[in-house]
Amino acid sequence: MDPYEYLKISRNPDGSITRHLFIPFCPANPDATPVLSKDFPLNPTHNTWLRIFVPNQSSPSTDKKLPVIIFFHGGGFILVSAGTTIFHDFCVKLSADLPAIVLSVEYRLAPEHRLPAAYDDAVDALLWARTQALGPASAVGARADFSRCFLMGGSAGGNIAYHAGLRAMAMDLNPLRIQGLILYQPFFGGKERTESETRMAADPVLSLPVNDLMWELALPEGADRDHEYCNPVVGKTGREAAVAGLPRCLVRGHTGDPLVDRQKEFLRMLESGGVEVVGGIEEGGCHGIELHDAKQAHKLVADIREFIGLAGAGGVNLYDMSE
């Protein structure tokens, strides 16, 4: 398989890539139901922004505050956007069904902006949320509960959420409080092939050549696949110490994903470091299944609802998105 042809990209002499595939984009809609959405600038220097999703539901519990989920989309660090239709629609479902306020981050893409650019953008999102928590007026509404904030992402977004969680431990974010990480099929790698990568080398969703190319384009120049951005378990003893202060983590994977062995290693590393971990590896599936399988998306949202303590939660009133 030619990974460039599969991804519909071509490499340019200056190291950038041209993205040839048309990927549907959905504009924000501050008047939509069941969820309102609006874009806010994050770091104008980097042309980053946030898409904020707020449930538009009625509830007798008018004083109820909602948890805040900071969401990082997938795409192998090199493709798509917070406004890509599949991620917009997923965030709408997430916001409506939990319910919760979702802040979806438009981070910089590689190879034009190699890692750690996306992690730096994640920190910008944390600091933006902290500013909102300090108030007095918040762009996400007065009823956002910033003391119940969660970092979430799938695939490359799961990798970003993890590294954002590590960075958050060294930051004073009060009154913002990170209560947990939600990582589904997080995108990790390493120099030595795992059994699942080798066995599913020709996987139709994430083949080994595609996997290799994404890491080649995303990692810092000259870095190998055992760089800490890629391989979270390299130097295992040190990594266990590094994760010791992380909040509880919901981690989900599937046996049909070539990255499943990486995710199992990651789970073991978190547990060895004393992190409270829930979730685990499910049979079947494929990489990114929650984006095209409604049943899996529903199950993921149900797991998240339980993880953040919203089982049985009802709807909420309209938020003011006019700020």
Side-chain angles (χ1 to χ4, degrees):
M1 171 190 287
D2 179 352
Y4 287 94
E5 173 61 26
Y6 177 82
L7 294 170
K8 299 294 187 289
I9 63 174
S10 59
R11 210 159 187 168
N12 301 317
D14 64 357
S16 66
I17 59 173
T18 299
R19 299 161 177 86
H20 300 283
L21 182 65
F22 171 75
I23 301 175
F25 182 93
C26 183
N29 189 342
D31 302 312
T33 56
V35 170
L36 317 174
S37 58
K38 190 171 182 179
D39 295 340
F40 289 85
L42 180 57
N43 186 327
T45 301
H46 296 153
N47 198 31
T48 54
W49 43 272
L50 293 167
R51 178 161 295 182
I52 300 175
F53 298 84
V54 180
N56 177 10
Q57 300 174 353
S58 60
S59 169
S61 304
T62 56
D63 60 343
K64 180 178 178 180
K65 289 199 171 188
L66 295 182
V68 176
I69 294 176
I70 301 178
F71 177 82
F72 305 95
H73 66 78
F77 303 108
I78 66 171
L79 297 173
V80 299
S81 161
T84 297
T85 299
I86 55 172
F87 292 112
H88 175 95
D89 291 349
F90 180 78
C91 287
V92 167
K93 176 177 179 59
L94 189 67
S95 181
D97 290 0
L98 287 177
I101 293 173
V102 178
L103 313 181
S104 184
V105 182
E106 177 72 351
Y107 56 85
R108 288 170 291 170
L109 298 179
E112 295 82 1
H113 306 282
R114 291 175 176 268
L115 296 175
Y119 306 153
D120 295 339
D121 297 340
V123 169
D124 282 347
L126 292 175
L127 294 174
W128 187 92
R130 178 178 181 267
T131 299
Q132 300 302 310
L134 288 168
S138 170
V140 297
R143 288 165 53 207
D145 186 354
F146 287 101
S147 70
R148 289 191 296 154
C149 183
F150 298 83
L151 307 182
M152 174 179 175
S155 192
N159 177 300
I160 296 169
Y162 166 66
H163 283 280
L166 293 178
R167 291 192 177 196
M169 290 193 293
M171 300 168 64
D172 178 8
L173 293 172
N174 286 325
L176 182 76
R177 295 186 61 193
I178 308 299
Q179 300 284 3
L181 308 184
I182 301 165
L183 314 173
Y184 55 99
Q185 298 181 326
F187 187 41
F188 296 123
K191 289 170 63 175
E192 185 177 342
R193 304 296 195 194
T194 66
E195 188 279 332
S196 63
E197 287 172 341
T198 302
R199 175 169 45 84
M200 291 183 270
D203 183 74
V205 177
L206 187 62
S207 70
L208 206 52
V210 169
N211 186 12
D212 289 347
L213 178 59
M214 286 176 166
W215 280 118
E216 179 188 338
L217 295 173
L219 285 170
E221 294 280 2
D224 66 31
R225 294 273 285 276
D226 277 344
H227 191 284
E228 62 181 314
Y229 298 160
C230 179
N231 190 344
V233 304
V234 68
K236 191 169 185 291
T237 302
R239 299 311 297 164
E240 288 171 359
V243 304
L246 283 176
R248 57 200 297 263
C249 295
L250 170 62
V251 184
R252 290 185 72 215
H254 288 81
T255 59
D257 180 0
L259 303 182
V260 65
D261 285 349
R262 301 284 180 195
Q263 292 152 11
K264 289 176 181 178
E265 292 175 349
F266 178 65
L267 280 165
R268 288 193 291 268
M269 186 267 293
L270 291 178
E271 291 169 342
S272 297
V275 180
E276 181 185 350
V277 180
V278 300
I281 308 300
E282 298 184 21
E283 290 294 323
C286 64
H287 194 75
I289 190 172
E290 77 290 339
L291 296 174
H292 57 81
D293 185 315
K295 186 177 294 185
Q296 284 293 328
H298 182 77
K299 185 179 188 311
L300 174 60
V301 172
D303 289 348
I304 295 168
R305 184 186 299 114
E306 183 174 353
F307 178 71
I308 66 180
L310 288 177
V316 295
N317 280 353
L318 180 71
Y319 277 76
D320 181 10
M321 295 289 282
S322 62
E323 294 294 331

